[in-house]
Amino acid sequence: MSPAIRNLVILLVVLAGGVYFLSTLAHEQPQKRVEKSVPNEALGR
């Protein structure tokens, strides 16, 4: 195999591995509803 083809194959394998690795890193977390009681004084009434 010529060195140019071998280098291209290695580069493609590294890029594919990098894309797969980055795709597994972060996932969105579902939002949680947080309810907090607010005293009447804080409402300005």
Side-chain angles (χ1 to χ4, degrees), residues 30-44:
Q31 292 183 350
K32 296 179 187 174
R33 171 171 264 180
V34 177
E35 295 186 16
K36 181 178 178 183
S37 63
V38 178
N40 287 336
E41 298 85 35
L43 293 175

